[in-house]
Amino acid sequence: MPYNLSSRRPTSASLMTEAWTPGDSRQLDALVGGCALVAQADGWVTAEERRRLVARVQSLPALGLFGVDEAVQAFEALIDRFDKDPEDGEAVAEAAILRLRGRAGPAHLLVAAACSIAAADGGFDAEERAAILRICHLLDLEADAFDLLAARGRR
C-alpha cells in the first residue's frame, strides 16, 4: 500500500481490521464521501473515470468489511448528487467525513483510501491533492503523515 501510515504504526492490514467496524454505516458513509470528494475534485467524473473509480473502490480492502456492492451503490449515488448540485454533494460528503473526526484509526484509513482513489489515474493532480488536504483538515489530521505535502509538483 503506497500510503503507509508510518513505520511506527501497525501495518495497514492489522489497522484495517482494528479500525473499521463491519456494518458501521458512519464509517461506510465517510469512506464513500472521501472517495467521492476526491473523484470529483476536478469538477466532474467522466464515464471512463467512473468505471475506473468504481473498479478501484471495489478493490479497496476496507470495503470488504462493509460490502462492496453497498459501497459502490453509495459511491455512485453521491457522485450523481455531485453531478446534479456540486455544493450539495460536497456538503453531504464533508458531513459524512466529519463523523470520523476524533477516531484516529478510521480517519487515517479514510485518507489512505482517498489517496488510493487519487492515484487511480497515475498520480495526484492539484485538485485531488487539495481535496485530500481538505479531508485531513476536516479530520484534524496532519497531512504530512500521508506524504501529501511532498507530493506537490507530481503529475
Side-chain angles (χ1 to χ4, degrees):
M1 187 166 166
Y3 298 95
N4 193 348
L5 301 178
S6 91
S7 58
R8 296 174 292 161
R9 298 186 185 168
T11 65
S12 60
S14 69
L15 183 61
M16 187 177 311
T17 56
E18 292 170 16
W20 291 122
T21 304
D24 186 331
S25 63
R26 290 173 302 171
Q27 290 177 341
L28 176 61
D29 291 346
L31 182 63
V32 167
C35 291
L37 196 63
V38 170
Q40 68 73 45
D42 60 3
W44 62 85
V45 179
T46 66
E48 180 57 30
E49 286 175 317
R50 180 173 268 133
R51 280 190 292 276
R52 242 185 301 143
L53 287 164
V54 168
R56 188 65 169 205
V57 167
Q58 289 172 324
S59 74
L60 290 172
L63 292 176
L65 295 173
F66 296 114
V68 173
D69 292 337
E70 182 180 349
V72 169
Q73 288 174 357
F75 174 78
E76 285 291 345
L78 188 50
I79 290 297
D80 287 344
R81 206 166 178 158
F82 271 105
D83 290 344
K84 291 175 185 162
D85 184 348
E87 289 178 6
D88 177 57
E90 185 174 320
V92 169
E94 288 183 356
I97 291 164
L98 277 168
R99 291 186 197 120
L100 293 188
R101 189 177 192 139
R103 298 176 66 193
H108 278 89
L109 285 175
L110 176 120
V111 175
C115 289
S116 177
I117 291 298
D121 61 359
F124 286 69
D125 61 27
E127 294 90 355
E128 290 167 334
R129 188 171 4 299
I132 294 170
L133 291 172
R134 176 74 181 139
I135 292 168
C136 288
H137 174 75
L138 290 169
L139 296 171
D140 199 26
L141 297 175
E142 295 294 326
D144 59 352
F146 302 95
D147 296 325
L148 294 171
L149 300 178
R152 288 183 184 161
R154 282 192 214 159
R155 188 165 165 200

